[in-house]
Structure formats: structure tokens, C-alpha cells
Amino acid sequence: MSINYFKNIFFIGVAGTGMSAIAQYLQGIGKNVSGSDRYFTPNTPNETREKLEAEGIQCFLQDGSGITEKTDLVVVSTAIEDTVYEVQKAKELNIPILRRSQVLALISESKRTIAVGGTSGKSTTSAMIFDILQFAGLQPSIISGAGLTSIIREGKIGNAKVGAGEWLVIEADESDGSIVQYHPEIGLLLNIDKDHQEIDELMQIFETFRQNTTGTFITNRSNKLAATLSVNGANDFAQNKNAGAGFTSENFVQNGFQIQFDVNSTTIKMNTVGKHNMENALASIAVVSLLNVSLETCAVALLQYEGIYRRHQIIGEKNGVILIDDYAHNPAKCAASIAACQPVAPKVIAWFQPHGYKPTRFLRDDFVQEIAAVLRPEDEIWMSEIFYAGGSAVKDISANDLIQDIKKLNKQAYFVEDRNMFVDVVRPHLTGQVVLLLMGARDPSLELFAGEVFKKL
């Protein structure tokens, strides 16, 4: 099977981040793409719909009207069940139905592909690789899980772009196991931490990712689990000079919202925060070196790197409070996000909305230990109730359970069940210079929430 077999492609759930990226890419290479989404309703403005239609992607209500005899492929996300009417109509018309990840696998087979894997940092690192290659004149393509600021400025969603070059950068997602479907020429493994699955299961998934990489496999030797899958240290990267990696970093310094570090004796400066972003940049450099991009070129490109949507996105500053919105949602990401904000202000107040009862239950102890370990005496962690996206979840855990566990470790931890009450309740704590960090994922209203919080400050 080849992506070339299909011309008229319909996406059920096209507004989703992963789905819209693939839809835009296929439209960009000349396919006739259309789609529907439950968030599309009559006479109601929808920014995603408007941007998709601006790309030439026709959007429909999720009522089946967009699927016809001319449709030769229907694409569904993992969230779309067989009971959905549009799926039933596609089956009645004998139209092939593929999952989003299967279509991405077909696309990647048609290009020289760089696949970015790991439990944290995939979107950011993919963006850095893309920006470096673009600056170097290689005209890459990208299919990402988040909008790149550099592409958003063009009036687009920002999570996909078709370039004239031969290289495609994709995120290889382990959360649904789809990473095992890809056969990239370059495979990058950033890290392995508990998230979605147990460690044993993750190790098997990433081992398959390594085996499926047809060319060079690059690992992070600073991460103990990822290091065990190393193939060739000369291609690897690490923050530790003694780790046997070909690319190493040192002399990290963060001043406010800028970081500086040396990679193999070349100084890199970036307008971002956190040691985790030094590691992401280091990984990007290891990848692009295989395409003969020099360290000097990387340094200039990374200085111009503008970041991605909802990754330490600065909303604004008001009354001594710097508001930052971040996509952090697993224990390692939340801890790294808090740590990255600590050099900015003497006090960090972090708010977190966990998503899903099963994932929160699965990661409860890890959330408690990771967050408690990173908090300084003056820092605070706040949580609102778990985001529930529907379904048959057993609601036998609350975000307050995590807060009470963190309190027992003598940390400042607070629960405010209704997030709409958060600003009113936290206001007395916003004294002096403070970073107010909002964290959470999967809830499409979090961007609006960040705007509401800023208005109330």
C-alpha cells in the first residue's frame, strides 16, 4: 500500500492536533482533503476550521454529508469509535478506513524520514530539527503534535508544513504504540520515563523502534533507560562528558528567559528556559550533523528558534506576576517545567490539571515524588479536579489525593476543585515577583483558561 493510491481523503475528527497536521500535509502534496469534527457546529466560529479551509480543506459537520462514493480513504483517530455514524457510512460504501498513525506511516515511507521518539520533548525537538534544517536551506517538511510559532506567524495552525526538500520530520508517539509502525532513516530516542505504560512495556516499544530504524539510531546517553538502547556512541548525545557520546553539552546558564551552553566547544544561545531544552537542542544537533549541518549553522538557527504552542508560552506580565502556559502533563514534564521557571523568579506557583482518571491513578506516586522533589520552600503547587473527556472511566481518584500526598512531604500544596475559582483563591499568594505556571494537556479549553487567568490578574 502507498499513500499515492489515494486521492480523495476524508478525516473524521479533523480538528484534532494529530489529525489536522496530516490533513494539511496531504493537502499540501496535492491530495483532495476534507473532514468533519464534532466541534464544528452551525453558525459558530471555529478558528481551526477557518485555518483548514484557508488551506483548501473542506470542512463538514459530523453528520456523514462529507463522505461520498468519490471518497477513496477515510482516516480516523484513536478517539473515533466504530459506532460513529460516519464510520458506519464508510463501511457501507466499502471505503478503506485507516487510523491516523497508519496514514502517517504511509507518508513516512514516501520520504526520507527523521522520527523523533521518547516520553518527553518530541514536539519541541521536532520543531528545533525542522527550524535548523530550514535555516540550512534543506527545505524540510514536518508533521508535528504542536504548532511551531514560526509557522503560526504565517496564519496557519502551525503543526505541518510541506517543503520542497527530501526530508520529513515526524513525531513517533509511544502512548498509543503507533511508534512501532514507522521505519525512519534516522530514529531519535530522547528519553524513557514512566508515562502511559509500565517501563517494561515502554522498553519493548522503543526496542522495536530501534530495530525498525533503517539508517542511524541516536539515543540520549544521559537517560539511563534510553542509553541501554544505544547503537553507536559517536551518534549519541549526553549532558555528561564521560557518557561516551559524540555530542555533549556543558556550562549551562539560564538568565531569565534565555539559556546558554556549549556543545563540543561551540556556544549555543537560545530564547527559552530550562535544562531540558538544552538537551532537546543537543539532540537536534546530533540529528542534523548527519545531514552535514555544521555546529556554527546550528548556533545561528537555534538563536532564532521561536518555540512552539503552549510550551512555556509567556502569556504576559501583570502586577509583578509572569504568567506562563505549558503543556506539561506527566511527572517528568511537570517537574522539568517547574524547574525551568525557578531561575526567572524567587517564587513559582504552579497550577496543574491532570487529565484522565486512569492515567492519574497510574502515575499518582510518580507525580507526588517528582513534583515534591523539585519544589523550593517558597514554591507552591495547586491542582484542580481531573479533566474528564467522557467515556466509562471509574472516578475513584481525585487531584486532591495527589495534593494531600504532597502536603505530607512538607510542601506547599493546595486544591481548588473548580479551576474558575483559582485566581480568586490564589490571589493572596501572589506577593512579590512570582511566576504563575499553568500546566495541563488534552483539554482543548486550556488556552482559553490561560487567557481568562491573565484577565483576572
Side-chain angles (χ1 to χ4, degrees), residues 332-445:
K333 290 175 181 175
C334 287
S337 186
I338 294 169
C341 292
Q342 287 171 336
V344 177
K347 182 177 183 179
V348 174
I349 296 178
W351 172 89
F352 177 50
Q353 177 183 269
H355 68 263
Y357 290 89
K358 184 178 179 180
T360 305
R361 191 186 317 112
F362 178 62
L363 295 169
R364 175 177 176 171
D365 292 342
D366 301 271
F367 272 124
V368 171
Q369 295 300 323
E370 294 263 12
I371 291 174
V374 78
L375 291 175
R376 302 171 297 186
E378 59 272 27
D379 294 335
E380 301 174 9
I381 178 69
W382 292 66
M383 292 187 194
S384 293
E385 197 50 279
I386 297 166
F387 172 67
Y388 174 57
S392 55
V394 178
K395 300 180 182 179
D396 59 353
I397 187 171
S398 167
N400 193 30
D401 294 326
L402 280 65
I403 288 296
Q404 296 306 318
D405 290 348
I406 295 172
K407 274 186 176 180
K408 291 174 183 176
L409 298 175
N410 298 315
K411 301 294 180 177
Q412 296 192 66
Y414 306 88
F415 178 66
V416 52
E417 181 175 3
D418 181 357
R419 73 184 191 188
N420 294 316
M421 301 297 295
F422 171 61
V423 175
D424 293 333
V425 179
V426 78
R427 196 180 302 279
H429 298 246
L430 302 175
T431 56
Q433 189 179 2
V434 180
V435 166
L436 183 56
L437 171 65
L438 308 179
M439 301 183 294
R442 306 300 167 95
D443 178 355
S445 69

Side-chain angles (χ1 to χ4, degrees), residues 123-316:
S123 296
T124 299
T125 307
S126 296
M128 290 181 184
I129 293 170
F130 173 81
D131 278 358
I132 294 171
L133 294 181
Q134 181 142 288
F135 179 80
L138 274 70
Q139 296 180 279
S141 300
I142 188 170
I143 298 174
S144 174
L148 282 68
T149 301
S150 58
I151 303 177
I152 291 172
R153 278 197 294 99
E154 299 174 10
K156 303 177 185 294
I157 295 173
N159 53 356
K161 188 166 186 176
V162 176
E166 58 185 351
W167 287 97
L168 167 67
V169 184
I170 68 168
E171 286 187 45
D173 191 3
E174 83 292 339
S175 65
D176 59 1
S178 60
I179 188 173
V180 302
Q181 300 179 47
Y182 312 124
H183 297 83
E185 187 169 335
I186 299 173
L188 171 63
L189 178 57
L190 295 169
N191 40 56
I192 303 175
D193 296 298
K194 188 176 177 182
D195 184 18
H196 303 294
Q197 300 104 333
E198 293 287 0
I199 291 297
D200 289 347
E201 187 177 354
L202 285 171
M203 292 301 295
Q204 292 175 5
I205 290 172
F206 287 121
E207 167 63 24
T208 302
F209 177 48
R210 178 178 73 167
Q211 292 174 357
N212 287 349
T213 298
T214 61
T216 305
F217 191 72
I218 300 171
T219 60
N220 177 5
R221 288 206 171 196
S222 296
N223 183 274
K224 291 181 180 179
L225 294 174
T228 64
L229 297 180
S230 173
V231 175
N232 183 345
N235 296 319
D236 290 343
F237 63 98
Q239 294 188 41
N240 178 3
K241 270 192 167 295
N242 300 318
F247 296 86
T248 58
S249 58
E250 59 182 346
N251 303 324
F252 175 85
V253 178
Q254 179 174 337
N255 291 310
F257 292 101
Q258 294 182 320
I259 61 174
Q260 178 177 315
F261 51 94
D262 296 331
V263 176
N264 295 12
S265 301
T266 296
T267 298
I268 307 292
K269 297 179 181 180
M270 299 183 69
N271 296 308
T272 186
V273 294
K275 278 192 172 183
H276 64 291
N277 274 320
M278 172 182 71
E279 194 166 75
N280 293 335
L282 186 59
S284 305
I285 290 168
V287 168
V288 301
S289 71
L290 296 172
L291 280 61
N292 299 315
V293 178
S294 69
L295 266 171
E296 291 73 23
T297 299
C298 291
V300 179
L302 289 170
L303 181 60
Q304 299 176 23
Y305 173 69
E306 297 179 73
I308 57 177
Y309 171 72
R310 289 203 69 233
R311 269 56 169 192
H312 283 112
Q313 185 175 1
I314 302 170
I315 305 301

